[in-house]
Amino acid sequence: MRILIVDDHPINRTLPAIWLGRRGHEVVECGDGLQALEAIAHERFDAVLLDICMPGVSGLDVCRRLRASEGPDCPRIVAYTAHAVPEMLDEMHEAGFDEILIKPITAEGLLRALRLT
């Protein structure tokens, strides 16, 4: 499985990348929403682990754009965030996220959200 991990903090990309890599998945990392949109325009991913609060293009905007442009071919999109307030959770669901992971994450939670277990 090819998975794109998008987070503006490199340390937040490292742990999920290690966990997924150890399970044999191919991982690509991006540091912001614009890089993610560019990567998805040129490469095929099975899933996207997407931080919500990033400078420039937010994870919410990336998700909305992917849902609009990719249609039924859209990869599974998992929000990856520390913002667990009800209003933000509602906004994430409305944006089209398939699943929401609250930081700090566990390997089990990550695999379940990406439907790898």
Side-chain angles (χ1 to χ4, degrees):
M1 186 172 207
R2 290 193 81 222
I3 302 163
L4 178 64
I5 300 174
V6 186
D7 197 304
D8 56 320
H9 296 287
I11 193 72
N12 290 338
R13 297 190 306 261
T14 301
L15 192 56
I18 290 170
W19 287 337
L20 294 167
R22 286 183 180 163
R23 293 186 61 98
H25 301 286
E26 183 181 349
V27 175
V28 175
E29 297 179 38
C30 288
D32 63 45
L34 284 177
Q35 289 177 0
L37 292 169
E38 184 70 19
I40 293 166
H42 294 95
E43 302 178 54
R44 178 77 182 127
F45 294 96
D46 300 298
V48 179
L49 184 62
L50 185 58
D51 184 30
I52 297 300
C53 293
M54 296 182 288
V57 180
S58 74
L60 291 168
D61 289 335
V62 171
C63 184
R64 288 182 188 113
R65 290 183 192 185
L66 290 178
R67 291 287 180 219
S69 67
E70 299 292 315
D73 295 328
C74 194
R76 181 166 182 77
I77 306 173
V78 176
Y80 178 51
T81 185
H83 302 282
V85 297
E87 298 81 26
M88 282 298 295
L89 294 174
D90 289 344
E91 193 172 1
M92 286 180 242
H93 285 296
E94 290 169 7
F97 283 95
D98 294 298
E99 188 77 38
I100 299 170
L101 273 177
I102 305 301
K103 296 174 187 174
I105 65 169
T106 63
E108 180 181 293
L110 174 66
L111 297 174
R112 188 175 44 251
L114 292 171
R115 292 194 174 157
L116 299 175
T117 60

